[in-house]
Amino acid sequence: EGVMLDNLLQGITTDHDGNDVPFAKKLYKDYQNDPVHFGIYVLKNVLSGVMALHDAGYIHRDIDPTNIMITTDGRIKLIDFGIAKQLQSLTTHDRSLTSVGQFIGKALYASPELVLGDIRHQDRTTDIYALGILLFQFVVGRLPFEGDTPKVLEMQVHQKMPLGLVKQRALRKVIEKATAKKHSESTSQALSECGRVSCGTGRNRCQ
């Protein structure tokens, strides 16, 4: 059916049967030649799926490259809704997590409220945070926080993003808003700003 984004970022452009996926090959070439343009293109496609999910009243809570598929028919799809949460209510599963403050998701992309197991404060901005981490990864070439899981979780809650590594001012502002440690109106606006950011063919032509 396609190639997972985490595999593509490692140069793998074949499906699980070993068949070439032309769209994945094209995207990987774009990633090599112009990671900023690649990042914005992928993010905009993922964003459409995230916004549709939010409009339906759910948040994903597990956005990362292992849950984004580059399909054989030329699409970029957000997949695996196993820990998605309904915004207006807590499921039995959510209540059990609330009682123990259990972390769910991927540490490298987890918002502070996910790290803390704070179910009641997980909302649309929880997904926006993960998208900000993704965009940082695309344009910088590495994740903002690295190390073993406990160390990364601690940094997600307390450490500032290394935004100085993002050379494009417009992208730096979007990532800063998306990955704010505390929710605010500007965090929510980061989604629409991601959709408006555009790039030319040069690496430093983001506007």
Side-chain angles (χ1 to χ4, degrees):
E1 190 179 349
V3 179
M4 292 302 181
L5 180 60
D6 66 319
N7 286 332
L8 183 141
L9 295 176
Q10 299 173 59
I12 299 170
T13 58
T14 55
D15 63 18
H16 64 276
D17 293 322
N19 300 312
D20 282 332
V21 178
F23 183 47
K25 292 184 74 171
K26 177 188 178 301
L27 282 181
Y28 183 63
K29 185 176 180 180
D30 291 345
Y31 178 55
Q32 290 180 302
N33 295 334
D34 193 344
V36 171
H37 186 271
F38 165 88
I40 292 173
Y41 177 78
V42 171
L43 193 77
K44 284 183 176 181
N45 279 269
V46 175
L47 189 57
S48 65
V50 171
M51 294 180 75
L53 186 66
H54 290 179
D55 288 345
Y58 291 85
I59 55 174
H60 190 281
R61 299 197 294 187
D62 199 18
I63 297 173
D64 83 317
T66 67
N67 287 329
I68 297 169
M69 176 174 280
I70 314 302
T71 70
T72 54
D73 60 353
R75 292 182 296 157
I76 299 173
K77 289 176 55 178
L78 182 63
I79 62 171
D80 193 352
F81 301 91
I83 61 170
K85 172 185 175 292
Q86 192 170 2
L87 285 167
Q88 299 304 319
S89 65
L90 294 176
T91 65
T92 301
H93 180 58
D94 284 330
R95 291 193 189 97
S96 68
L97 291 177
T98 304
S99 66
V100 297
Q102 181 178 333
F103 167 67
I104 57 173
K106 306 288 194 324
L108 294 169
Y109 301 85
S111 65
E113 64 274 11
L114 272 180
V115 172
L116 298 171
D118 184 1
I119 301 293
R120 295 188 182 278
H121 288 95
Q122 292 172 16
D123 56 22
R124 292 176 179 86
T125 60
T126 301
D127 288 343
I128 296 171
Y129 188 95
L131 291 173
I133 297 285
L134 264 180
L135 184 55
F136 181 100
Q137 180 181 7
F138 292 152
V139 301
V140 174
R142 69 169 180 84
L143 287 156
F145 305 128
E146 297 178 321
D148 58 29
T149 296
K151 180 180 178 182
V152 170
L153 293 176
E154 177 73 14
M155 289 190 288
Q156 295 286 25
V157 176
H158 298 294
Q159 190 162 314
K160 290 183 178 181
M161 289 278 291
L163 294 169
L165 297 176
V166 182
K167 304 306 180 185
Q168 301 77 15
R169 185 176 64 176
L171 294 183
R172 187 165 60 247
K173 288 176 64 178
V174 168
I175 294 169
E176 182 178 18
K177 289 181 179 181
T179 58
K181 302 299 185 185
K182 294 183 179 180
H183 296 185
S184 67
E185 185 177 343
S186 64
T187 308
S188 299
Q189 291 171 348
L191 267 181
S192 57
E193 290 187 18
C194 282
R196 289 196 298 268
V197 171
S198 61
C199 269
T201 54
R203 293 190 179 196
N204 298 312
R205 293 178 55 196
C206 289
Q207 317 182 10

